[in-house]
Amino acid sequence: MPDKPLHVFISYAHESEDLRQQVWELAKYLRSQGLCVLTDPPYQNRAPREGWRAWMQHGIEDSHCVLIVCTPTYKQSFERRNAEQPGGYGSTWEAALISQELYENKLHNDRFIPILPDGGERENVPTVLRDFCNELTFPSQQERIFQAIVDDALDPNANVRPYRRRPPGLLTAEDTRLAPDLRDVYGRDEEIRSTMEFLDGADSAAQVVAQVTGTGGIGKTEICKRALRLWLQQNPGSRVFWVGVPDGASPEVCANAIARALGYDRLETLEQLMPVLKPGIYYLDNSESLDSPEGNAFLRQLQGVSGVRLLASSRARLSALGAPIEVYALAPDDALRTFQDAWTGQPNELRDAPSLRSFLQQDLGGHPLSIVLMAALGDWKSVPQLISDWKREGTRLLHSESDPSRRGSLITSLSLTSRALASRHSGALPLWTAAALFSDNLDGEILSTLSKHLSTDERALQLLTQHRVLRRENEHYHMLVPVARFALDQAQRGASGFDWRAVREALNPFFLGIAQSADSIASTDTALKAQHTLIRHFGARHRYALELCRETPPALNLIAQLHEKLHNQYQFQPSLGREMAQAIEAALSGHPQYDRTRAGALQSLGDLERRLDNLEQARAHYRDALELHQKVQNDPGKANTLQSLGDLEQTKKQYGQALQIYAEALALYERVRTSMGMAYTAAEMIRCLHALGMRERMEPLAPFALQQAVASNTPAVMAYVVGVLREVGYGEEGQAQAVSRRLRRFKELVFRAFRGANRR
């Protein structure tokens, strides 16, 4: 069933013509954002058909939310202080309906939003509504008001941070992501109609899922974009979310992409996604990586959520999504019009010649992306030259058995495009390769950063856009998956002018620098900004790590170096982090000189599996890591792994087993004199002893844990330890003072830690 537009009612008092006009401007703005807005300015000459009282009552009772414009006159009406004054009947009636609903719901409110005209005073908000006042003003804060309408409250069972902005994946008909790549989409009327039939499905007859399938670059996304744009124009305010599924994404990675479309930074398990899903249509672009038993099971799980409908574009037929809408080659007339729209050469060369029609249909196979790529070379070569060069290049590739990624005409067209770019600018292919790592999250800022590290300039970016490698959408850029995969495949092979090692050498300092800046427990502005960048572009770091590991032979020093910088940061995206750690551990396997780093990767895998609630896999990774740490005599690493293993046992409430493991870890930390490790481990031992009822054994550990926390000179560690002590009953002020007397010279730091724990 299609998700209905969000209805908004604006309740206000007629204080002045200026206020009426401001309310009308606010209503028009909200309508431009896809909301259905009810307010009275359109009825200045004629009353609503159902009469004013019914119109107001239905508007308030049936709307998703009610905006309450709080002014002195409205407050008087709301609080019934205007009985002796003329007028004000409408606002008094609306206020009565609002008051009654608040009364019946015992002041639980998720629909009524107080707002103020610019310059309005909070005192004008009716007393009963002040708890819900966030001082939203208009017209200066129209966007915040829109966000307040579309935002949802945090589900306390979801265990994730709520978003406080418009969901980034939410589409409107004017969204640039739905703009056509060319002036029009030719020859796809039947496919667009079939997609529209799915979108128009109503009530119990609504189809829950649909998929548009075809080879890479055949135009699946353009069909879905056109259908979604038309449907949103007919159904403004409906919830449609764009989800770009990363190339090769697992179900966990796809779940993260859906979460980001909804406005959440990250989710750690598939189970966390289900409670935060909103009713609506989810368009999964590039979803062929879900063509697996696990992927199809995930898609069926999504279908089980009430109100969720799935539209997918995929190179593969996904069994969970039923019969597909197949997309085939363009017909001759449509292929010609597509070529003409994309042509960048002289107009007089676009004669409807038999040779051109034959080339588009027989050589390019009526493949839209191949056609567009060739047309974009029009300012480089004439049509006869293009045809001749394409045939020569195609013949060469046809006889090449070393091309693992050949996809018919597309690879030939991409190869010819890369040759043209290489001849025009030395920085074009390196930038293409680097941008392929960021293909799902490209903007002007990151492209500028990449250009700086690659020592290229703005001209390279212009050429990539001109030749259809990149598509610009305002300040954002998009690269199709086949185009990105071609660059990375060719770069790994050192073919078609691409050079992965040169790009890797240029970008490695960038990836390591961000990781190093983010790897700080201090909440400095620099560290927080780096962590934000790391999370935002974690997918690029994931692809970089995988590309690094699939080099032949792999650059083991760089792989080990990357792990050392990232091992504390895999947790930002556990599912992607797990794939990175797996690839790194596999690349280092069989190279004894890297056993120490490999052990660290195994411990990271254990930590990630534990966070993903795969406890047996986590235990196995910890055991393997312990063997390697023992082999290379790495006591700090062994202690860290033992601490993680103890945490796992404590998660399972095996407190006795955890206590033994922690004791072994503590002995190692004492041997290597690591204050932070001793503090954390002693705190966890106190937790276990408390759970086992062994309070007498806690007594000597409490001051020891605090002493080591202070010795670490790290406020976060001190706050953590003090928090544990309070949790088990060591929070009384007298005991805190006793501890501080034993640690007199650290008194200020200790009490600062206590205050930090209290604030938590």
Side-chain angles (χ1 to χ4, degrees), residues 419-497:
R419 185 180 300 175
L421 288 167
S423 70
R424 291 182 154 196
H425 197 294
S426 60
L429 297 191
L431 185 58
W432 183 351
T433 308
L437 296 169
F438 294 81
S439 59
D440 58 344
N441 198 355
L442 274 167
D443 56 28
E445 180 183 356
I446 194 62
L447 283 168
S448 175
T449 301
L450 296 177
S451 297
K452 179 180 178 182
H453 281 271
L454 294 167
S455 300
T456 186
D457 55 29
E458 182 69 20
R459 178 60 180 157
L461 176 58
Q462 292 172 353
L463 284 169
L464 291 178
T465 306
Q466 177 184 328
H467 285 276
R468 302 284 180 168
V469 172
L470 290 173
R471 178 171 179 263
R472 183 169 182 172
E473 300 168 352
N474 295 328
E475 295 305 313
H476 291 268
Y477 293 79
H478 179 68
M479 183 182 292
L480 292 174
V481 169
V483 177
R485 179 47 50 197
F486 169 82
L488 294 175
D489 285 344
Q490 298 297 308
Q492 284 286 355
R493 296 170 51 235
S496 302

Side-chain angles (χ1 to χ4, degrees), residues 41-57:
Y43 299 102
Q44 290 187 48
N45 300 318
R46 183 174 179 177
R49 182 176 302 174
E50 63 270 47
W52 279 113
R53 283 183 295 174
W55 180 83
M56 288 184 281
Q57 182 171 348

Side-chain angles (χ1 to χ4, degrees), residues 349-366:
E349 293 195 61
L350 289 180
R351 295 183 302 274
D352 185 4
S355 59
L356 177 56
R357 278 182 170 258
S358 174
F359 172 63
L360 297 178
Q361 202 62 31
Q362 309 236 346
D363 295 298
L364 300 188

Side-chain angles (χ1 to χ4, degrees), residues 629-642:
H629 284 310
Q630 184 68 33
K631 176 183 174 183
V632 299
Q633 299 181 342
N634 179 16
D635 284 348
K638 185 177 179 182
N640 290 337
T641 304
L642 284 168

Side-chain angles (χ1 to χ4, degrees), residues 311-362:
L311 172 65
S313 57
S314 168
R315 294 197 301 270
R317 295 187 181 186
L318 303 169
S319 62
L321 302 184
I325 301 167
E326 294 274 13
V327 183
Y328 299 105
L330 291 172
D333 287 346
D334 300 314
L336 180 62
R337 285 191 291 176
T338 299
F339 185 85
Q340 290 170 336
D341 268 8
W343 177 248
T344 59
Q346 295 298 319
N348 61 5
E349 293 195 61
L350 289 180
R351 295 183 302 274
D352 185 4
S355 59
L356 177 56
R357 278 182 170 258
S358 174
F359 172 63
L360 297 178
Q361 202 62 31
Q362 309 236 346

Side-chain angles (χ1 to χ4, degrees), residues 616-645:
E616 292 309 313
Q617 294 95 315
R619 180 181 284 105
H621 288 311
Y622 289 144
R623 295 297 182 191
D624 290 342
L626 285 172
E627 286 185 16
L628 281 176
H629 284 310
Q630 184 68 33
K631 176 183 174 183
V632 299
Q633 299 181 342
N634 179 16
D635 284 348
K638 185 177 179 182
N640 290 337
T641 304
L642 284 168
Q643 187 186 75
S644 293
L645 188 57

Side-chain angles (χ1 to χ4, degrees), residues 640-656:
N640 290 337
T641 304
L642 284 168
Q643 187 186 75
S644 293
L645 188 57
D647 292 343
L648 185 150
E649 298 298 343
Q650 191 176 181
T651 299
K652 297 183 67 176
K653 299 186 178 180
Q654 300 295 321
Y655 299 111

Side-chain angles (χ1 to χ4, degrees), residues 12 122 294 457 515 527 662 705:
Y12 73 106
R122 185 183 177 89
E294 298 79 12
D457 55 29
Y662 285 137

